[in-house]
Amino acid sequence: MALRKTEGKEEIQSPSEAKARQVFSGKEKKILTTFSIEPSFKNDLENLFADMGLGWAAGIRFALKEFYKKYNEN
């Protein structure tokens, strides 16, 4: 775990917190969004994304970018 100093005291920072800070500290702010999906369809998508070497969130971002490219050409 990474240690972070905060006003003289050390605070433990989890790897997931460090990753979240890295992702959300970019030039443009990210928007957290939610949606509903059937568990079986989500499992199928997770398997597809895993075959591509992507996690769930990265796979969704990839799919949305590809969808946008395909339908923005009109």
Side-chain angles (χ1 to χ4, degrees):
M1 285 187 213
L3 293 179
R4 175 178 45 159
K5 288 189 176 185
T6 307
E7 297 178 22
K9 70 174 190 175
E10 292 182 357
E11 187 177 314
I12 297 175
Q13 183 178 13
S14 70
S16 60
E17 182 181 356
K19 179 65 176 175
R21 287 185 188 279
Q22 177 188 6
V23 167
F24 288 104
S25 66
K27 295 177 186 173
E28 187 176 5
K29 293 195 178 206
K30 307 286 186 212
I31 298 172
L32 180 62
T33 185
T34 59
F35 57 92
S36 298
I37 189 170
E38 294 89 358
S40 60
F41 185 53
K42 183 175 188 259
N43 288 335
D44 291 343
L45 289 175
E46 285 177 324
N47 292 335
L48 175 65
F49 296 154
D51 290 344
M52 297 169 66
L54 300 171
W56 171 251
I60 292 296
R61 286 191 297 270
F62 174 79
L64 289 172
K65 286 176 186 175
E66 290 300 311
F67 179 86
Y68 180 77
K69 284 180 197 175
K70 181 177 180 178
Y71 290 101
N72 194 32
E73 294 174 356
N74 295 335

